[in-house]
Amino acid sequence: MIVPSETSEQKPFMIVPSETTSNPVVSGKERPGIFPLPLTPLEQFLFQCDTAASPMIIRIVLRLTGEADLECLKETLLSAIGRHPLATCRITGNGNQSCWIHGPPAKIDICHLAGSIFEPDGGPTRKKINLRIENGLHAEIHIMDDGIKVVIDAHHAVTDGNGLRQIVTEWFHLYHCQITGVASRLPVLDSDRLQQRHHFPAPAAAAPIGLREAIRNLLVTIRGRTARWTLRRETTSESSSSQIGYCVERILSQEQYDHIQLRLEQWKVTLNDLMLATCMSTFAKMAPAGHMKHLITILNPTDLRLPSDRRLPAANRFGFAFIRRPRATCVNPAALLKGIHDEMHYVRSNYIGAEFIKGLASASRIPGGVDLIRKLGLFIPSLQWTCLGDITRGGKRLMTWKDGAIFLGELRLETVTGFAPFADNVPLSIATCETGRRITLTVQANSRFMNESETKAFALAIEDMICSFELPPTDSEASDRREHENAD
């Protein structure tokens, strides 16, 4: 076991031999008879988007403090991964005939590192996963001076952020049950449902999208020139470097969280909406000079999970929304926010995110169709923004809460951080994660467009703006403004 001092801020940890862990709750050794399993059009698209310059890797970093049984922590993580067949798969075949084939989970390494778990992650990124020769989910457990840091990397063709949340939630539950001796309440997952993971039936409440509206939405997405961050000149040392990009992580304080929540409540918007306006405005102010009529375009992944997906193992169940505004109008984020909120309400209520996926499915029926979509470059955004959400959402009945925090055994979950990949020729990918009343912000930049200092400056500008975002006018201020406008 790892035994800490009385508070998580005190250190160092004392390490003593781990107790023996037996009879894991889920073995993960038995595999469903659905393999080889053809890739869906979305999985094929994400697999093809994986390039040397833009590997499609989602990274999750979890920070834990308290007493831990390392062997149990490792075995229950393997058990949780084993419940999700795609997490232990690799790809075989070529072109449209590519298939998933299963294998054993990747080895989980446990290592001891000096330093604090609360030191921000960042710096050059080099992580790649070759799905031709290895499975798509890797994990490491780092034992540090004041706690445990767990790093999970997953190839995006395997799963999205919500699929990773499934795995993490189940892992926490399995570990807690094993440590405390209580019975597991995990739902039985239906691996056969993976054969329908590419179907996206609209919910009953969603209005059907007619042909005219679909064409209008497409034209809104591709018409007009997209604002671009210009390529930078590389030095000789940079061109020979193996680094892919730069990562910056910002762990926001409780005070900053309160500032953000105030703005969400006052504006009556979601964090996703607020961050869209913030990202657009920051890009407009910090990107190299460009035409102010060019359209800042954000690719915003949207969750397409339905209640009927509760028994589906981890997979990709997301769509794409493309939010566009002229650069000139993005200088004022408060003026942007209401329009963005209304647009995202339209996207969510009408299940618009699935339209791009349906387009991929149609293109995949034509030889080379998906490649053609990528080569045309019509859907390359100015930047990407992903709201990875609260790790506790959807799994609260499986979590143990105490004093406003999640506990697994004697371990306390401190923060969760997600790093979202950027597609080829996209300069920036920004993401947030929530853990109870904490928010983490990450910026991952393409080294072809931005260096490390520029990435840090962009992250700090995002952080400053979201915490000091202009509040909406009060009723009296709005009345005074209307009277002034009428007088003019």
Side-chain angles (χ1 to χ4, degrees), residues 46 101 111 140 146 240 272 315 355 479:
L46 292 168
I101 56 174
C111 60
E140 297 178 356
D146 54 356
S240 61
N272 188 72
E355 295 303 301
S479 178

Side-chain angles (χ1 to χ4, degrees), residues 472-487:
T474 63
D475 292 341
S476 60
E477 289 172 337
S479 178
D480 291 343
R481 183 179 298 176
R482 285 193 296 269
E483 289 178 5
H484 179 72
E485 291 172 352
N486 291 335

Side-chain angles (χ1 to χ4, degrees), residues 14-27:
M14 180 176 65
I15 302 187
V16 297
S18 175
E19 297 176 356
T20 302
T21 302
S22 59
N23 300 321
V25 178
V26 182
S27 68

